[in-house]
Structure formats: C-alpha cells, structure tokens
Amino acid sequence: MSTTKETPAAKDSLENELLRYQEEQALALGLQQEQKAQWFDPVPRQFLAKDKASTTILFGGLTMAHDYLVEGALAGLGYTVRHMDCPDNESLRFGKEFGNRGQCNPTYFTVGNLIKYLTHLRDVEGKSKEEIVRNYLFVTSGSCGPCRFGTYVTEYRKALRDAGFDGFRVLLFQQQSGLKQATGGESALKLDSSFFISFVKAFLLGDILNALAYRIRPYEVEAGATDAVMERCKKILYDALRDRKWLIPALIKCRKELESIQVDRTRVKPKVSIIGEFWAMTTEGDGNYQLQRFLEKEGAEVDVQSLTAWVLYLIWEGRYDTMKRMKLRGEDAGRYGLEGKNPVKRLRMLWVADRVLRVMFQTYAKAIGLHDYHLPDMDEVARVAHDHYNNHLRGGEGHMEVGKLILNVKKRKVNMTISVKPFGCMPSSGVSDGVQSLITEKYPDAIFLPIETTGDGAINVYSRVQMMLFKAKQAAQKEFDEALAKKGVTANRLRRLMQRSSFAHPLQTSPHVVACTAANAVYGLNKYNGFFFRRNNKVMEEVPQ
C-alpha cells in the first residue's frame, strides 16, 4: 500500500478554496459589513473644586428618610444636593429600555430613576443636554461585588449614553481621591472627617426615624397621624443638619411631636422581619412591591433592618479578617493584608469605631424617645450562623441572613421572617433558598418566606405573603391569649386599663417576652402599671405605686 504526501502547493490551494468559500458565505449572509468599534467605558469627567458652586449632586437608593437627611447633611457642607424620588415602575421601564439585558432590579430601578429625572429636566424644564451634563452628576457607591454589582457603574454610563446623555458624570465614592483628582486639580468632593461625620449622623437619624415610624404606625388611632408627624420630624432634623446645629435640641423637639400621636397597643398584630439583599429590603417603592406598606395594610407590624447594622457588620468583617491574618506564618501585601501594618492598632481602631457608632446611636435614640432598641451583637450573629454558613464566606449580607433567622426564632423576636432579593441575586438566593431550608427544619417554629422581585409579578408575591402571614397572625394571637391567661385579664378589661396606663403613650415600650407587641403589653402590666393580682389570677382594682 502506498501513501501520497500532500504537497505545500496543494495545501495552499485547499486553504485558498476554504477562504473563498468563507467569503462567499459571509457575503450571502450579509456579514461583509464594516466592523463596528466596540463600546468602551471612558474615564469619567472629574468633579473639580472650581465646578462646586455650579454643580448639583444627585443621589438616592436608601430609604426616603435617609436620602432626605443625607441631602441636608451634605448641604451643610456647602454642596448643592438633590435626592431623587423613590424608584417606581416608570423608572424600571426606563432602565429596561436603555440598560443591557440580564441585569437585576437594583440596577434597572436605579439607573432608570436617574434617566427619568434627567429626561424630566430636558423635556419638562427645558434644559439642554449640554447644560445637564455640565451642571449635574450622580454619586453612587462602588464595590468589587460577589456578583455583577461591581460592573454596574459601567452599565449606568452605557444606559445614559443610549438615553441621550453621553458624558454625564457617574462617580463612585471609591474613585474619589478626596484631595487630588487624576488631572491634578483639586477635588470638590472631599471625603474628609467632616464629610463622614455628617454622613454618619444622617444615616443614624434615618435609622432612628424609621424604627420609630414602623414601631408606632401599626397602632396609631388616627390613620396617617404617624406619617404626618414623621414629615415634620424629618424637616426639623434636615434643618439642623443643614445649618450644622447641635442635634439634641432638634431631637427633643421631635420627641414632643411624636408624643402627640395616639396609639392602641391592644391590637394583636404579628411582627414581621424583612431581611435579604440590601437594596431590596431597604427600598420602599415598587422595587420590592412596597412590601413594608403592604404588610402594614395586611395587619402586621414590620421590623426593618437598619443601615447602622450593616456598618457594624463591615466593622466586624475588618476585625475578624485581621485576627485571622495575625495567625498566618507570613504577612501578605494584599489590600487587606498586614504587611507594614500594625494589626493591634487596627483592631483597636475598629473596636473604637464600633463603640462610637453604638454610643452615637443610643444617644440620639434616647433623646428622641426610641427606647429599648438594641443594635445587633455581631459576634453573636456570627456565632449562631457559623455551623450552617461559614463566616469566611462573603457576598451580600454574608452569614447575617442565617444568623438573623436563627435569632428571630430562638429569642422570639418576630412571628415571621421574609427574605427579599432581586431575581437572580446569587449571594442572597443561595442562602435563603438553600441554607435557610435547613434552618427551618431545625427550628420548626420558624415562619420563613423567601421571595424574589422582578419588577412585575406583584400579585403572586402578595398572595404568597398573605398565605404565610395567616400563620403569623395565628402565632401572634396565640401569644396574646397565653399572656391574658397567665395574667388573668380579659381583652376588654385590658383595653380599659390601657387607656389609663402608660402604654397609651406612643413612645412607651414593654419588656420583651414574646414577639407580639400586644402580648408584651400584657406581660408588662406589673412593671409599668402597678397592678396587683390575687392568687386566683383575678385582677384587683388598680393601685397607684
């Protein structure tokens, strides 16, 4: 048998034939068009000191109380600031029209809200595109992110360009040098101690106002009274932050406003905790189907997470990582490494930051009348979660979702826990749809509901919430009935006594025994009202202390 070796000439002829065939097919398919240049993310224009007076800083994304108070704090530092309205479904429409496919709700709603606002400036207020680009900028936070969050600032710029606002500045906190820009000019956005102190004050006050609102509103006698008072309180604190005045007098003034609200805490309502992905559990608009207001409308008391707890978690992360790195055989030079650094000093500074934050929060809370509100012990949260979710794992809220659910059940903090996150959120979905199923098996008393948001499908989410809320209402009623039985008090008798007791005060709280506020009010009769009980558990007449 003989073989024929392919000659170089024959090989070249075959390659030419294949190339000719490829060109013919490309021409037939219309693929011979000129190659378009790929889009790239240009270096954003900087925010220089010379432009400070003429530039308006736009921002948003937290609760409405936080956004409003941060505006006041930054206005007090000399910036022209404007917080945007809470994103709605119209914002989602803008976001999906100009954004890439496959993004999650926080991006669609946030960038859509920004485009909606800029479109209003152009089409309604008559400002030109050049004027908008020159005189406005948007500031947001940056992160490497465990999912796609780290790339979203690029998505913002792409969507803005496609919407007709090419060149609009979207700046990240982490991109700002605080002193000098890349061009060598002086930065207008100075991230110094005054900036951070003002910012911290604003979000502490936002947390406190939200905690008070969600604590009082479900039990208000006159519908809308709490919201009206909260608007006045926000204005008082806004003015104090803007004028850089001492906050304690403003908080005392707010407390007097809050004391005017009439409440009835004999109403049996289940307490529902909202946890999950940061943006989804924080926003108060269509991004989570207005979940907080829907729960209140359905007869629940809502327990929302504070931004302060998130900052405490970041501080805990720093302490935890530092202590672990101290045990390594060598020092690494990474971003969080210890090479050339004093780990003991770092731990001491983080401990001080934790204590200062807690002292500031409790000082403001006491002044305004937020009693018996406890910030989470991050070491405890990490400890109870560790057996089910390793503390080394990061992304989203890390182990906090697991720890919060466990503590909610073990300490009877709430009757029901809802984990809410955008569709496809990898850090939160992996926890709430995976790990939490094991937690609910271990703690069968847990009433837990994971939900995902897509911008539509609100009816389906509401239906699921209502079904689980029915169980939570039964659990709350059981707690209330058990409390009445132990104290030997009827519901009617309780209502008459409460009208003359300190529990009619909107800022009064009861000792924590169970989740339901009405049940805790029954358990607190001895301590706060001076009631004496016969041995047969029949109530005697009220005796002054």
Side-chain angles (χ1 to χ4, degrees):
M1 183 177 68
S2 62
T3 59
T4 303
K5 186 176 180 181
E6 186 178 20
T7 63
K11 183 177 181 181
D12 290 343
S13 176
L14 178 60
E15 290 180 350
N16 291 335
E17 181 70 16
L18 291 173
L19 182 61
R20 182 186 62 79
Y21 179 76
Q22 177 182 345
E23 292 175 350
E24 288 178 354
Q25 294 300 311
L27 181 62
L29 296 173
L31 301 179
Q32 288 287 64
Q33 300 176 5
E34 182 180 352
Q35 183 69 30
K36 294 183 178 180
Q38 295 295 317
W39 181 87
F40 69 98
D41 187 17
V43 177
R45 290 173 51 199
Q46 305 296 328
F47 180 29
L48 303 179
K50 64 182 181 65
D51 301 321
K52 182 177 180 180
S54 60
T55 302
T56 298
I57 300 175
L58 304 175
F59 74 97
L62 304 176
T63 72
M64 295 309 296
H66 286 97
D67 288 346
Y68 182 64
L69 294 176
V70 168
E71 176 184 310
L74 297 184
L77 296 176
Y79 297 101
T80 303
V81 190
R82 184 170 300 171
H83 77 281
M84 294 186 294
D85 291 335
C86 190
D88 55 13
N89 284 329
E90 184 69 4
S91 302
L92 177 65
R93 185 185 68 79
F94 275 102
K96 287 190 173 182
E97 179 178 355
F98 297 107
N100 282 320
R101 303 285 77 82
Q103 298 181 85
C104 63
N105 277 3
T107 308
Y108 281 137
F109 275 98
T110 303
V111 72
N113 201 35
L114 176 59
I115 293 175
K116 184 182 76 169
Y117 181 79
L118 300 183
T119 302
H120 175 83
L121 292 178
R122 181 189 62 193
D123 299 345
V124 178
E125 297 188 15
K127 290 181 169 58
S128 66
K129 176 253 187 180
E130 291 74 18
E131 184 181 2
I132 293 172
V133 171
R134 182 176 64 251
N135 295 336
Y136 292 85
L137 64 86
F138 180 72
V139 176
T140 186
S141 61
S143 172
C144 61
C147 57
R148 298 159 290 175
F149 181 66
T151 65
Y152 281 163
V153 65
T154 298
E155 298 286 356
Y156 293 168
R157 298 190 185 112
K158 181 266 180 191
L160 286 163
R161 184 201 65 172
D162 291 351
F165 300 100
D166 190 22
F168 186 87
R169 290 168 288 178
V170 178
L171 304 182
L172 296 178
F173 278 121
Q174 65 185 32
Q175 288 179 329
Q176 306 306 315
S177 62
L179 294 175
K180 296 288 183 180
Q181 302 281 10
T183 58
E186 185 180 3
S187 170
L189 191 61
K190 294 185 179 297
L191 304 185
D192 53 16
S193 59
S194 296
F195 180 93
F196 283 109
I197 290 174
S198 298
F199 190 85
V200 166
K201 288 180 179 179
F203 80 71
L204 288 177
L205 295 175
D207 280 342
I208 291 170
L209 286 182
N210 284 337
L212 283 166
Y214 286 108
R215 177 182 283 186
I216 297 173
R217 186 165 48 234
Y219 305 99
E220 63 186 9
V221 174
E222 180 186 352
T226 306
D227 288 338
V229 169
M230 282 298 163
E231 289 301 317
R232 295 197 292 270
C233 289
K234 285 193 290 185
K235 184 62 170 63
I236 292 170
L237 295 175
Y238 178 97
D239 292 341
L241 290 167
R242 182 196 58 198
D243 300 335
R244 308 197 71 179
K245 293 181 178 179
W246 192 32
L247 290 174
I248 298 301
L251 290 165
I252 294 174
K253 187 176 180 180
C254 290
R255 184 175 65 195
K256 294 179 180 178
E257 292 280 353
L258 292 165
E259 289 173 347
S260 65
I261 305 173
Q262 292 183 327
V263 297
D264 176 13
R265 288 199 173 90
T266 62
R267 300 173 181 175
V268 181
K269 294 176 178 287
K271 184 177 288 187
V272 180
S273 175
I274 299 178
I275 64 174
E277 190 271 333
F278 181 82
W279 185 88
M281 72 176 182
T282 302
T283 187
E284 298 167 319
D286 293 328
N288 65 1
Y289 311 120
Q290 302 183 33
L291 183 60
Q292 298 92 332
R293 292 288 180 158
F294 175 76
L295 286 167
E296 290 185 345
K297 182 180 178 182
E298 292 297 313
E301 176 185 352
V302 182
D303 177 49
V304 294
Q305 306 302 310
S306 66
L307 269 66
T308 307
W310 173 251
V311 178
L312 291 174
Y313 170 67
L314 297 180
I315 295 173
W316 177 91
E317 275 189 333
R319 288 172 39 233
Y320 182 83
D321 291 346
T322 300
M323 288 188 291
K324 292 296 182 181
R325 283 184 168 86
M326 289 172 66
K327 298 178 182 179
L328 297 176
R329 286 176 293 181
E331 297 177 344
D332 65 280
R335 180 179 179 185
Y336 301 105
L338 298 180
E339 184 176 345
K341 300 174 183 176
N342 186 336
V344 176
K345 182 179 179 181
R346 175 184 286 186
L347 289 174
R348 187 180 297 118
M349 291 178 63
L350 290 170
W351 182 87
V352 170
D354 182 276
R355 299 312 304 168
V356 168
L357 201 64
R358 292 177 185 274
V359 169
M360 288 180 65
F361 184 95
Q362 295 300 340
T363 300
Y364 295 156
K366 183 178 180 180
I368 200 174
L370 177 61
H371 304 299
D372 298 321
Y373 186 92
H374 305 287
L375 293 171
D377 181 344
M378 287 301 163
D379 289 328
E380 181 184 32
V381 175
R383 184 172 61 254
V384 299
H386 180 68
D387 291 340
H388 311 286
Y389 194 91
N390 197 301
N391 299 144
H392 289 287
L393 297 176
R394 301 295 158 81
E397 290 216 332
H399 59 259
M400 282 204 295
E401 280 196 50
V402 175
K404 287 174 181 177
L405 177 58
I406 294 174
L407 292 176
N408 282 347
V409 180
K410 292 180 66 175
K411 294 192 173 184
R412 305 184 74 175
K413 290 185 174 182
V414 297
N415 301 108
M416 174 180 170
T417 303
I418 296 178
S419 176
V420 57
K421 64 275 184 188
F423 175 77
C425 177
M426 293 181 287
S428 184
S429 295
V431 174
S432 63
D433 298 335
V435 181
Q436 300 289 41
S437 60
L438 174 64
I439 304 302
T440 53
E441 289 182 6
K442 186 173 182 179
Y443 299 94
D445 291 338
I447 301 176
F448 177 72
L449 175 64
I451 59 174
E452 291 184 330
T453 64
T454 60
D456 50 17
I459 299 301
N460 177 54
V461 170
Y462 288 162
S463 177
R464 294 181 61 205
V465 171
Q466 286 172 326
M467 287 189 292
M468 296 300 287
L469 193 59
F470 177 75
K471 297 181 180 180
K473 289 180 178 179
Q474 288 181 316
Q477 188 65 51
K478 181 180 178 182
E479 291 177 344
F480 182 70
D481 293 340
E482 289 176 350
L484 291 177
K486 289 181 180 180
K487 293 297 184 180
V489 185
T490 65
N492 291 333
R493 176 65 172 163
L494 176 67
R495 292 188 182 92
R496 292 196 299 270
L497 295 173
M498 284 297 183
Q499 292 175 356
R500 296 179 291 158
S501 73
S502 59
F503 282 103
H505 194 286
L507 301 178
Q508 182 63 62
T509 58
S510 54
H512 173 258
V513 179
V514 291
C516 177
T517 296
N520 285 328
V522 177
Y523 285 118
L525 288 175
N526 282 352
K527 180 176 180 180
Y528 291 104
N529 297 283
F531 290 114
F532 291 83
F533 297 87
R534 298 182 188 273
R535 288 188 178 182
N536 61 2
N537 288 332
K538 292 183 178 179
V539 180
M540 296 179 62
E541 293 299 321
E542 184 176 358
V543 180
Q545 290 183 339

